[in-house]
Amino acid sequence: MAAQTRESLLDAAAQLIKAGQPVKLSEVAALAGVSRQTLYNEFGSRDRLLEALSLRVGQRVLAESVRAAREAPGDVGDAVRASTIVGLRAATTDPLVKAGLLGPSAELLPFVTTSSGALLDLFRDACAAVLLERWPRLDPVETRWAMEMGFRLSLSHLVLPTEPIEVTAAHTAIVMRRLLGPTDPQETGKQSN
């Protein structure tokens, strides 16, 4: 029941954002059919509700990005390029992301910029895990911070795009190759000796 209530509250907040309305806790609770106290018991504050909503969207985008990185042929740069293209396309076509970042109240903007720590951790760790799985000879510490830099580049493009997604992805791939060094496209899946 608690999981269903949580999802109903997140759905209600998303509905308000997509409608271009500010997220007021009383309205979220009313839309979800629960009391304000139930909302506070579940999330504690408006910021925690919005952070949870940004994480839910992020997890959807991440699932698509990770799949692309796993399936991309080629080297580590090719995996990052594929992941970046898929992730940015998923994010920029999602109505909630568009309204939450670019809408009248930009309710989700802080949670992908100044307060994006939870999203950063989620993406960095998942993307690093995929690269380390495919190229076990990569240094785990360097791979984690490289993925953090890649995520920050992608967020910057998401918030203020200056070039097509494919160009950003190609540039990010170049950066990742330089940070992580060359990887043999044929090495994928081999264990290090």
Side-chain angles (χ1 to χ4, degrees):
M1 184 69 153
Q4 185 178 5
T5 300
R6 182 178 181 83
E7 290 303 308
S8 294
L9 289 164
L10 291 171
D11 289 343
Q15 182 180 338
L16 289 171
I17 290 170
K18 286 191 266 188
Q21 299 174 12
V23 176
K24 295 181 180 173
L25 296 183
S26 58
E27 291 180 30
V28 171
L31 280 171
V34 301
S35 69
R36 281 185 69 179
Q37 187 58 50
T38 299
L39 188 152
Y40 281 110
N41 290 345
E42 187 63 43
F43 292 104
S45 70
R46 179 180 179 280
D47 281 353
R48 288 188 51 205
L49 169 69
L50 292 173
E51 180 181 38
L53 183 58
S54 70
L55 282 170
R56 184 170 79 167
V57 174
Q59 287 168 337
R60 272 198 320 260
V61 171
L62 178 61
E64 294 180 41
S65 296
V66 163
R67 185 172 36 259
R70 270 201 180 97
E71 296 172 357
D75 69 359
V76 70
D78 296 320
V80 169
R81 182 178 58 238
S83 176
T84 302
I85 288 171
V86 168
L88 285 174
R89 279 189 185 149
T92 56
T93 58
D94 185 294
L96 177 59
V97 174
K98 289 195 319 194
L101 297 182
L102 306 172
S105 59
E107 296 277 5
L108 297 179
L109 187 59
F111 301 99
V112 296
T113 56
T114 57
S115 299
S116 64
L119 269 179
L120 172 67
D121 292 346
L122 180 70
F123 274 80
R124 178 197 60 223
D125 295 346
C127 292
V130 170
L131 295 186
L132 291 167
E133 171 189 305
R134 289 192 66 185
W135 294 281
R137 293 186 179 134
L138 289 174
D139 179 275
V141 173
E142 289 181 4
T143 302
R144 282 185 87 237
W145 63 253
M147 290 303 93
E148 180 170 331
M149 294 303 108
F151 178 70
R152 290 176 185 270
L153 287 171
S154 294
L155 276 185
S156 177
H157 179 84
L158 180 62
V159 174
L160 184 63
T162 57
E163 57 194 10
I165 288 171
E166 292 77 11
V167 175
T168 294
H171 291 158
T172 304
I174 292 167
V175 170
M176 292 304 117
R177 283 187 188 105
R178 290 184 181 168
L179 288 174
L180 295 173
T183 53
D184 182 353
Q186 305 306 313
E187 179 189 17
T188 300
K190 293 181 182 176
Q191 295 299 315
S192 59
N193 295 327

